[in-house]
Amino acid sequence: WEGVRLVDDMRVSDLWSRKPPRTVDEALQAAEALRAGALAWGEVVSIGDSLEIRAVSYDVTQGKETARQFRVRVSRDATGMDSVFAALADSIVIGGTGVRGASVVGTRNLHALQQFLEGREALDRFDLRGAEERFRAAVQSDESFAQAHLWRARTLAWRGDAEPSAWLGDAARAVALSAALPPREAAHAAALRDLADGHAPEACRRYRALAATDSTDFAAWLGIGDCNARDDAVVRDARSATGYAFRGSYYTAIAAYRRALALVPSFHLAERGLAFQRLSRRVLYTEESRIRRGVAILPDTQRFLAFPSFAADTLAFVPVAFGQALRTPPSHATERRAVMWAADVASELTADWVRAFPASADAQSSYSESLEAASAISGSGQGLGPALGAARQAAQHTDSANLRVFRAVAVVRLLLKSDSVSSARSLADSILAAWPTPTSYQAGFLANLAVLTGRPTRAAALLRRAASDSEHVPFLAPSGRRAVLAPDMMMAALELRAYASLSSPRDSLRAVSHRLDRMVTTLVPASEQRTTRRMLFATPIVLAGDGLGELSFTVDSGFDALLAMRLALARGDSAAARASSGRYSSLTSAYSPGTLGIDRSVAHADMLLQLGDTSAATRQLDAALEALPRARSILLEATPQAGGVGRAMLMRVALARRAGDRATAERWGRRVGALWSGAEPELRALMDSLQR
């Protein structure tokens, strides 16, 4: 049909998901709410070897009296399908002339049509996975079904967890068959193909044109968000302070995503909220020290990173070459303002979600995360109570096992940040008991609870299990890419991190470090051994010091000031150690409290004590412990940080007792006593010694 403007499909799905009409009057009211002039309502029923199509159309302004009814059966061979649907269109549209000669169905395969219709029904429920499966079945039955290819590509893109290459084939096929598509759908197919093919600027141009001609096009606004958010290309820009700029604008992406959600609030239901979370987390940097990564356009392969900044009321990222960033970590004076802005946006979006769907565990979880982030960046701590309440509700009503572990750990983190240490430890104990045989994904989160509560041996066993899940791989190669290691080497490396995070037990620490060193020697090419050793051993050496013995001398410090300080102490070079300490303090002075890992503060304090600088060590620990309420959400997702909490408390108790500061010793003594009440013997012995 020409000259007929349809209400956006996703807006209809949004309204239906809130209150599905049960009567003609309710359906007419729904159509009126969408400002539609006409309503078509019906069903497709399977009867034996046929489909029966039943439809009724109404003039919304005139009501039930204008009903036009239509009913037809289609045989298995689908003979005359085009004419059947053309006649159906005639019955629905009030006035106008039908367009003959072009397919209005797109398939003559009955099974393909059934699957496609079921996919659209799943989409009306915002079941993106179910819809994608049906659309995939439709194209498997009829490879020339253009609409099914388009909608499969679209649902894969909307889910947000697939790489663009996953929908390239379907998008390209839809473009090849675009003669069977209405002009707008053909334009959408071309935009999806461009995005999947790495041509983000072309995709953005197509989506902007679609939005310009219909400002209520949900898919166009979501596409504008995606083509900016997924574009990590860095181009030369003389206006930038570094001479480079990101091609894709996160600020534009955020504005587009917000516009899409305003049109279809029920999109929050898709993937139980995970689709929205994937979209928003790409572009909403709600915590300081979070890095955006980029890569230059071929043939240049240089990699870049940037922290968020804010200029002229606009979010910005100024890319810095990866090698330069290693020498001098990039920071920006307006980073905190940029993060505060993003946290406010996230709070607004998730609050809207909770208001629309108060019983949704996914909504409560996202709301909790946004409140925690806003509380951390403001430094007030006022949002921790509401965040904890929402996190508890989310964890209690989550039925997915993986999500339940993740959300339960979030409750432990919020209890810890709220200074409810005993409750945090009790909950951690119950979570560990509830998952005796976790999956690799679950094991990574459980391992950090074991480290937090002083059980490194159990943590090491859990991290060995987690090694097969890329979610828990913390190692970055010099190129900036996530490292890929042989399975046995990855297990040993993660096991070493568990022991080094608590510098205990000393025997296990040394045994695993020597085993991992032998693996590097035998499994890694000689030309790569230097960088591999630094990647795997740098953090353990910083955290455990002389616990690794002579291995401390086999790793070069690179640009890590703390590692250089540790190696200088191992050589007995106090002057070099003090110089590295000063360099580290200078580099970190611009960071807000809580954004630096507590593990690094503990390591620095430990080395300052070796230099005899008790007052500086005390200041380091006080700053780290007082900043716990502002710690980033990775506090219990990064193994060294989880171990740093108890170590900082115990070290502060020791310094307070040495200084005769009984109040401070009792304050942190009670907390570490509660946190490590079930700790392994070596750590218990340290606490018992302090108590004596």
Side-chain angles (χ1 to χ4, degrees):
W1 282 87
E2 293 178 348
V4 178
R5 182 178 175 185
L6 295 177
V7 175
D8 186 273
D9 289 326
M10 297 306 294
R11 295 181 66 215
V12 177
S13 297
D14 174 60
L15 191 146
W16 249 245
S17 71
R18 294 166 181 268
K19 185 181 179 182
R22 304 298 182 190
T23 66
V24 173
D25 287 335
E26 290 179 354
L28 286 166
Q29 290 170 9
E32 186 176 10
L34 292 169
R35 302 182 69 180
L39 164 72
W41 204 23
E43 59 188 344
V44 182
V45 181
S46 179
I47 301 178
D49 293 339
S50 307
L51 289 179
E52 182 168 281
I53 304 168
R54 306 165 183 169
V56 184
S57 67
Y58 305 89
D59 182 325
V60 173
T61 61
Q62 300 299 318
K64 289 185 287 188
E65 291 73 16
T66 62
R68 296 186 179 195
Q69 298 187 24
F70 182 85
R71 179 177 300 200
V72 68
R73 284 195 182 186
V74 184
S75 62
R76 180 177 292 278
D77 61 11
T79 303
M81 183 75 82
D82 287 357
S83 62
V84 167
F85 274 89
L88 175 60
D90 288 343
S91 74
I92 290 173
V93 179
I94 301 171
T97 303
V99 179
R100 298 290 184 260
S103 172
V104 295
V105 178
T107 184
R108 291 181 179 275
N109 184 299
L110 193 61
H111 181 260
L113 179 62
Q114 287 174 318
Q115 292 298 314
F116 179 76
L117 293 171
E118 289 179 15
R120 294 305 303 270
E121 288 179 2
L123 202 58
D124 285 344
R125 302 188 301 272
F126 291 90
D127 178 5
L128 297 184
R129 288 185 182 275
E132 186 272 324
E133 289 171 1
R134 297 302 185 187
F135 295 142
R136 183 173 69 245
V139 298
Q140 287 172 346
S141 294
D142 184 357
E143 177 59 28
S144 62
F145 194 173
Q147 285 96 333
H149 281 293
L150 168 63
W151 280 96
R152 182 172 184 235
R154 183 174 272 173
T155 49
L156 282 169
W158 287 356
R159 277 171 52 184
D161 60 343
E163 290 298 317
S165 58
W167 72 76
L168 175 58
D170 283 289
R173 188 69 178 139
V175 171
L177 299 166
S178 58
L181 294 171
R184 285 192 71 81
E185 291 198 343
H188 271 288
L192 280 166
R193 179 206 56 193
D194 287 340
L195 187 57
D197 218 8
H199 303 306
E202 290 81 357
C204 277
R205 280 194 289 270
R206 294 185 193 277
Y207 281 127
R208 283 196 297 268
L210 285 163
T213 54
D214 182 359
S215 61
T216 67
D217 188 336
F218 168 81
W221 288 110
L222 211 59
I224 292 172
D226 276 348
C227 68
N228 279 280
R230 289 185 177 276
D231 190 358
D232 62 355
V234 173
V235 296
R236 292 190 178 276
D237 188 340
R239 297 167 298 177
S240 167
T242 62
Y244 291 93
F246 284 95
R247 190 171 61 188
S249 166
Y250 276 10
Y251 187 81
T252 300
I254 292 167
Y257 286 148
R258 295 187 75 174
R259 183 66 180 270
L261 286 171
L263 288 168
V264 184
S266 293
F267 187 69
H268 282 302
L269 294 174
E271 294 284 288
R272 300 167 49 114
L274 291 179
F276 163 71
Q277 287 180 353
R278 295 181 193 117
L279 300 181
S280 62
R281 283 175 179 166
R282 281 189 209 137
V283 293
L284 284 177
Y285 281 45
T286 58
E287 295 180 325
E288 291 178 88
S289 299
R290 184 181 162 197
I291 295 170
R292 180 180 180 182
R293 301 181 186 277
V295 62
I297 297 175
L298 293 173
D300 188 355
T301 59
Q302 190 171 196
R303 293 191 167 267
F304 296 83
L305 53 82
F307 288 125
S309 60
F310 216 70
D313 294 328
T314 302
L315 180 69
F317 292 84
V318 180
V320 177
F322 190 79
Q324 179 184 339
L326 288 177
R327 291 189 293 273
T328 306
S331 60
H332 201 282
T334 61
E335 180 191 2
R336 190 162 183 270
R337 184 182 169 199
V339 173
M340 289 182 72
W341 176 84
D344 288 342
V345 171
S347 296
E348 291 170 10
L349 291 173
T350 53
D352 289 344
W353 187 7
V354 169
R355 279 192 291 270
F357 305 100
S360 167
D362 306 302
Q364 294 289 350
S365 176
S366 291
Y367 186 48
S368 172
E369 290 175 11
S370 67
L371 289 174
E372 181 184 2
S375 175
I377 190 63
S378 69
S380 65
Q382 293 179 352
L384 288 178
L388 179 58
R392 279 174 162 154
Q393 187 169 340
Q396 184 179 354
H397 295 98
T398 296
D399 51 13
S400 161
N402 282 349
L403 275 178
R404 220 169 35 246
V405 171
F406 178 80
R407 289 173 179 172
V409 170
V411 176
V412 175
R413 181 181 69 245
L414 285 163
L415 285 169
L416 198 63
K417 293 172 74 170
S418 302
D419 203 22
S420 300
V421 179
S422 294
S423 298
R425 193 262 307 156
S426 296
L427 180 57
D429 287 347
S430 65
I431 295 169
L432 287 165
W435 272 276
T437 55
T439 64
S440 58
Y441 175 85
Q442 296 162 2
F445 294 103
L446 297 175
N448 295 337
L449 293 185
V451 167
L452 175 71
T453 52
R455 287 169 274 197
T457 304
R458 183 166 186 187
L462 286 165
L463 283 179
R464 285 180 64 83
R465 183 186 288 264
S468 61
D469 189 296
S470 61
E471 179 84 12
H472 304 293
V473 175
F475 307 112
L476 289 179
S479 64
R481 294 181 182 274
R482 192 185 295 270
V484 178
L485 302 173
D488 286 348
M489 189 181 298
M490 181 65 78
M491 286 191 284
L494 291 176
E495 192 177 354
L496 177 61
R497 277 173 78 86
Y499 294 132
S501 295
L502 292 169
S503 193
S504 175
R506 307 287 276 188
D507 290 344
S508 300
L509 183 62
R510 295 202 176 196
V512 174
S513 63
H514 284 292
R515 175 157 46 91
L516 181 59
D517 183 57
R518 288 194 297 272
M519 288 183 182
V520 173
T521 302
T522 56
L523 299 177
V524 177
S527 60
E528 300 175 16
Q529 288 182 14
R530 177 173 170 270
T531 56
T532 301
R533 277 198 170 85
R534 184 168 62 227
M535 178 176 67
L536 301 182
F537 288 104
T539 295
I541 289 172
V542 168
L543 297 178
D546 61 358
L548 272 66
E550 66 274 13
L551 278 177
S552 298
F553 295 98
T554 66
V555 177
D556 65 277
S557 61
F559 302 111
D560 188 336
L562 273 191
L563 180 57
M565 185 178 181
R566 183 69 82 182
L567 296 178
L569 286 171
R571 296 192 306 269
D573 189 345
S574 298
R578 288 191 178 90
S580 295
S581 175
R583 186 160 61 92
Y584 175 76
S585 297
S586 176
L587 288 171
T588 58
S589 61
Y591 291 90
S592 298
T595 56
L596 292 171
I598 193 171
D599 54 317
R600 304 279 286 180
S601 296
V602 167
H604 193 199
D606 175 61
M607 289 185 274
L608 287 168
L609 287 174
Q610 291 185 48
L611 290 172
D613 196 342
T614 304
S615 60
T618 302
R619 287 195 299 272
Q620 280 279 311
L621 293 171
D622 281 342
L625 289 168
E626 296 300 336
L628 265 179
R630 300 181 63 178
R632 293 179 59 197
S633 59
I634 62 170
L635 179 65
L636 299 186
E637 294 174 26
T639 305
Q641 291 199 36
V645 176
R647 291 184 71 183
M649 292 177 179
L650 192 65
M651 194 179 294
R652 188 63 187 92
V653 173
L655 290 176
R657 290 201 180 280
R658 185 186 305 176
D661 183 353
R662 182 170 181 173
T664 300
E666 289 182 350
R667 177 190 177 191
W668 294 113
R670 285 193 301 271
R671 286 162 176 76
V672 72
L675 190 63
W676 282 2
S677 61
E680 291 177 14
E682 199 168 284
L683 296 176
R684 282 291 323 170
L686 290 174
M687 289 198 300
D688 292 344
S689 175
L690 279 176
Q691 287 175 350
R692 286 195 298 273

